[in-house]
Amino acid sequence: MFRAIADVLRQIGGAVATVVTLPFRALARLFGGASSSTRRGGRMRRA
């Protein structure tokens, strides 16, 4: 009985986690790509 409840809660938690983290992953890709391109262009030339 408790195993079934725990499994359901795990599935719900996993689904909520993926939904919550998706927009943050997208933002990280956007800002990560922008910062990596600026690093290549400006900071490495200074060093």
Side-chain angles (χ1 to χ4, degrees):
M1 181 68 183
F2 290 108
R3 283 185 183 177
I5 295 172
D7 288 337
V8 170
L9 289 176
R10 282 181 195 160
Q11 289 178 352
I12 293 172
V16 170
T18 52
V19 170
V20 169
T21 54
L22 275 175
F24 292 106
R25 286 180 184 175
L27 288 173
R29 283 184 184 178
L30 288 174
F31 288 109
S35 64
S36 65
S37 64
T38 54
R39 284 179 193 166
R40 290 178 192 161
R43 294 184 185 173
M44 292 187 76
R45 288 181 186 168
R46 291 178 190 166

